[in-house]
């Protein structure tokens, strides 16, 4: 798999920073680009099959060296969730539970854009001001 030098540097910068936009800024000329344009281009690079494969390949030895697996991460999150519940801290418990859901691909939000009649036509939304009882 042959990446350009900039693509390879993007992969390395992404692994270093964990931020695709920052990696893009470090590698490419962005002087005349807006933040949304940088974000879009960075996302485009992350979605490129060769780049995503290279990032995965670069991560493998790191994960192996530190013995990081999906099971180990899920176990750590479960320990954190239980500890949070034991000390009555619901917010960290929810955060740990959501972390597990994300890892397992269970947090996908599905938005149904069809209306009640099955069409893609948006339904009419009425905004009604509350009635105010005014003294006479």
């Amino acid at each position: 798999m042959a990446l350009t030098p900039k693509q390879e540097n993007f992969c390395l910068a992404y692994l270093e920073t964990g931020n695709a936009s920052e990696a893009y800024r470090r590698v490419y000329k962005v002087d005349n680009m807006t933040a949304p344009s940088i974000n879009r281009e960075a996302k485009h690079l992350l979605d490129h099959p060769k780049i995503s494969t290279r990032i995965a390949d670069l991560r493998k030895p790191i994960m192996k060296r530190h013995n990081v697996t999906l099971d180990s991460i899920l176990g750590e999150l479960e320990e954190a969730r239980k500890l949070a519940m034991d000390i009555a801290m619901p917010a960290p418990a929810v955060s740990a539970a959501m972390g597990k859901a994300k890892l397992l691909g269970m947090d996908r939000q599905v938005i149904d854009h069809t209306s009640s009649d099955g069409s893609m036509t948006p339904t009419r939304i009425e905004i009604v001001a509350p009635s105010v009882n005014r003294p006479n």
Side-chain angles (χ1 to χ4, degrees):
M1 142 182 52
L3 295 179
T4 68
K6 283 188 176 186
Q7 288 173 327
E8 178 70 16
N9 288 335
F10 172 81
C11 293
L12 296 171
Y14 177 69
L15 287 178
E16 180 185 338
T17 65
N19 183 307
S21 296
E22 178 59 27
Y24 190 88
R25 282 185 201 92
R26 289 183 180 194
V27 175
Y28 293 90
K29 185 177 179 184
V30 296
D31 297 338
N32 296 323
M33 294 179 71
T34 63
S37 295
I38 293 169
N39 294 341
R40 204 170 23 257
E41 290 300 319
K43 174 73 169 113
H44 178 71
L45 282 175
L46 279 181
D47 290 341
H48 190 287
K50 288 183 179 180
I51 290 175
S52 60
T53 300
R54 179 64 178 146
I55 290 171
D57 288 346
L58 289 167
R59 279 186 175 146
K60 283 178 188 174
I62 297 166
M63 292 174 69
K64 185 175 181 179
R65 184 171 55 247
H66 295 283
N67 197 27
V68 176
T69 65
L70 179 61
D71 284 339
S72 70
I73 294 171
L74 288 171
E76 289 175 13
L77 285 168
E78 180 58 19
E79 286 179 32
R81 189 194 68 76
K82 285 180 181 178
L83 176 61
M85 293 300 290
D86 289 346
I87 60 173
M89 298 285 292
V94 169
S95 180
M98 290 307 298
K100 289 170 56 176
K102 287 178 184 179
L103 283 175
L104 296 171
M106 300 170 69
D107 73 328
R108 291 183 228 149
Q109 295 180 3
V110 178
I111 300 171
D112 184 3
H113 292 284
T114 57
S115 60
S116 59
D117 66 359
S119 70
M120 294 295 284
T121 307
T123 57
R124 184 169 175 237
I125 299 173
E126 289 186 31
I127 299 174
V128 179
S131 61
V132 177
N133 294 331
R134 295 188 178 144
N136 291 338

